[in-house]
Amino acid sequence: DYFLSPTSVSQYLGAASSAKQYVDDTDEAYCCVGFWNTLKTFRTAVAKAKQNGYTTVNIVGMCWMQGENDVITNGSPAIYDKLLANFITDMRNYLEIPTLSFAIGLAQAPTENMPEIADELAIVQAAQRKVANNDNCAMLVDTSDLTRIPTDHWHYDTTSMLQLGQRFAQAIILLNTK
């Protein structure tokens, strides 16, 4: 629910009660903090590039590696496809880039340590596949062979993070050359 976009909030999906109104000089949104912070990160990066002399800044894609928390959040797996599709649509709208490419990392969760979440993980992964398959500007990035930090169980180790970054880059390049 951290990343609930304005559309998801207006549709009362997830914990919409945790949303609030955010306003600054360039944007206004009734959303959750993660959506707002993501939008502001993009805006800040563009502003800094322009301050450093770039006259044009092209955002060519967004890499999305989230969903693990939705696996263990009651009710989220069943609506994850809507949450993700709304996030992508709203981010494109706010950034005014209707064909912004999205590389979606396939969610993983420590089912070897928590076998009770295997069904929910499968539902979230199916939702990610559905969103990627229904969006010409999105691609699912396989993460099934990446390894996690042994003491953490949720986050990837350094080698896997580097591999994930390479896969994201390859996906964004492929999406932008279609």
Side-chain angles (χ1 to χ4, degrees):
D1 296 328
Y2 183 78
F3 290 102
L4 283 181
S5 72
T7 298
S8 289
V9 171
S10 71
Q11 294 173 351
Y12 301 102
L13 296 174
S17 61
S18 61
K20 68 179 214 174
Q21 185 69 34
Y22 293 92
V23 179
D24 66 15
D25 294 341
T26 56
D27 295 299
E28 180 176 342
Y30 194 74
C31 59
C32 286
V33 67
F35 179 87
W36 183 256
N37 287 343
T38 302
L39 177 62
K40 296 290 93 185
T41 297
F42 274 101
R43 297 273 197 234
T44 300
V46 169
K48 285 183 180 180
K50 288 184 175 182
Q51 288 171 354
N52 288 322
Y54 291 91
T55 56
T56 303
V57 179
N58 296 315
I59 300 171
V60 297
M62 182 172 176
C63 303
W64 183 253
M65 187 67 246
Q66 294 294 330
E68 295 80 4
N69 194 52
D70 292 273
V71 169
I72 59 171
T73 300
N74 191 28
S76 285
I79 60 171
Y80 189 79
D81 59 333
K82 294 176 187 77
L83 296 172
L84 181 56
N86 287 345
F87 180 89
I88 290 170
T89 298
D90 286 347
M91 194 57 62
R92 287 174 176 155
N93 287 337
Y94 273 84
L95 294 173
E96 299 175 356
I97 309 171
T99 59
L100 180 65
S101 296
F102 270 78
I104 303 166
L106 185 65
Q108 299 297 327
T111 55
E112 63 278 359
N113 298 327
M114 302 169 68
E116 68 276 9
I117 64 171
D119 291 342
E120 288 82 2
L121 175 61
I123 293 167
V124 168
Q125 290 176 334
Q128 290 177 314
R129 283 185 190 90
K130 177 182 174 183
V131 170
N133 289 337
N134 291 333
D135 186 328
N136 291 332
C137 297
M139 181 180 290
L140 194 64
V141 174
D142 186 30
T143 61
S144 61
D145 62 330
L146 300 179
T147 55
R148 294 185 294 270
I149 300 168
T151 57
D152 180 317
H153 304 297
W154 291 97
H155 297 97
Y156 297 116
D157 61 29
T158 302
T159 300
S160 290
M161 287 293 292
L162 293 169
Q163 290 172 335
L164 179 59
Q166 290 171 345
R167 291 175 190 178
F168 276 150
Q170 291 167 347
I172 295 297
I173 290 167
L174 185 60
L175 284 166
N176 284 290
T177 57
K178 279 186 175 181

